[in-house]
Amino acid sequence: MQVKIDLTGRVALVTGGSRGIGHAIARSLAGVGAQVAILGRDSAKAQEVAHALANGAARGYGCDVRDAAQVESTVGAVERDFGHIDVVVNNAGTTRDNLLFRIGEDDWDMVIDTNLKGAFLVTKHAARGMIKRRWGRIVNITSVVGISGNKGQANYSASKAGLIGFTKAVSKELSSRNVLVNAVAPGFIDTELTRSIGEAARNALIEAIPLGRLGQGSDVAAAVLFLASDFASYITGQVLVVDGGLVL
């Protein structure tokens, strides 16, 4: 018997959904029937990506997740446009990599505010409706470096480790209302960032991965689909690592 994930009738909000992993997640959610709200700092790009989704039931919104007022108004707009929000994927993220003594305060704040504060703000506003309806799924996209750390990424590692703690704490607060909160921790994924590094560095990355390849956006999206579906109805507060065996 073939079992398929079906999110028909569900509304999903994906931050950072206009490119990379976020785009793969938004596309996969639409592919299983969900209506999708794509948030990105570039409003035109978010709308362009939304219009290209196969089921035609998507909209793009310009939103800087670091800005509390923008987040509140954008979440409100999504709820007005779609009627409600069932699934939130906190994917928006950025990097400002450098060694500890070379990280300026601006670079620290940019990474923490985007990766961690943004997830807090979106969750805070979107979860209210979920609580009232007693159904919701929140998936936070963290990283294996939030578990293991990484040289030259003190700010990024701290933000992603904080997101894991945030996931666990909020899962305990919302579980009694059937709002499940989990995280997905990708390893090295084939994105614009990993394509821009030199061949030698890329090969070294691949050699460190037991499965012998970089992950794809679809690998991360599959984990999100599972956690957003009824197949994961008894799972909350967990971190699903999608890294090809890199961190064991």
Side-chain angles (χ1 to χ4, degrees):
M1 181 178 67
Q2 188 176 20
V3 179
K4 293 183 178 180
I5 291 174
D6 184 1
L7 295 181
T8 301
R10 299 296 185 190
V11 176
L13 181 157
V14 182
T15 68
S18 60
R19 64 189 183 95
I21 292 173
H23 185 196
I25 292 170
R27 188 169 59 244
S28 294
L29 286 164
V32 295
Q35 300 179 79
V36 184
I38 295 174
L39 273 60
R41 276 185 289 185
D42 185 335
S43 177
K45 180 65 175 177
Q47 292 175 27
E48 176 187 340
V49 170
H51 291 158
L53 290 183
N55 69 349
R59 295 192 183 193
Y61 301 82
C63 181
D64 185 341
V65 297
R66 299 173 299 165
D67 187 304
Q70 283 191 42
V71 170
E72 183 175 12
S73 63
T74 304
V75 169
V78 173
E79 290 177 330
R80 287 192 298 274
D81 290 341
F82 290 97
H84 57 277
I85 297 171
D86 301 298
V87 178
V88 165
V89 183
N90 285 308
N91 167 77
T94 191
T95 59
R96 294 292 187 276
D97 296 348
N98 218 325
L99 297 176
L100 174 65
F101 296 110
R102 296 177 180 173
I103 296 176
E105 286 189 45
D106 288 345
D107 288 339
W108 177 271
D109 291 344
M110 170 66 80
V111 172
I112 297 296
D113 287 351
T114 302
N115 301 0
L116 185 54
K117 180 183 175 183
F120 154 68
L121 291 172
V122 173
T123 301
K124 178 180 178 179
H125 291 290
R128 298 183 191 277
M130 295 177 179
I131 291 170
K132 291 178 182 177
R133 293 187 305 278
R134 292 180 175 268
W135 201 98
R137 303 289 187 266
I138 298 167
V139 183
N140 298 317
I141 307 302
T142 178
S143 168
V144 292
V145 304
I147 299 170
S148 63
N150 195 34
K151 180 180 178 181
Q153 289 192 308
N155 48 3
Y156 187 74
S157 297
S159 71
K160 295 301 187 177
L163 198 51
I164 291 173
F166 176 75
T167 298
K168 292 181 178 293
V170 176
S171 71
K172 293 183 177 181
E173 292 185 22
L174 303 185
S175 59
S176 65
R177 297 295 186 268
N178 194 36
V179 178
L180 310 183
V181 187
N182 292 288
V184 173
F188 292 114
I189 306 299
D190 187 12
T191 62
E192 293 176 6
L193 179 63
T194 52
R195 291 180 206 129
S196 67
I197 65 177
E199 183 178 355
R202 184 182 174 90
N203 289 338
L205 285 179
I206 294 173
E207 288 177 7
I209 300 170
L211 284 185
R213 68 173 177 87
L214 297 179
Q216 300 297 314
S218 58
D219 295 317
V220 181
V224 172
L225 291 187
F226 167 67
L227 291 172
S229 76
D230 288 334
F231 293 115
S233 62
Y234 199 55
I235 300 174
T236 194
Q238 302 304 306
V239 181
L240 179 51
V241 177
V242 182
D243 70 347
L246 180 65
V247 177
L248 295 174

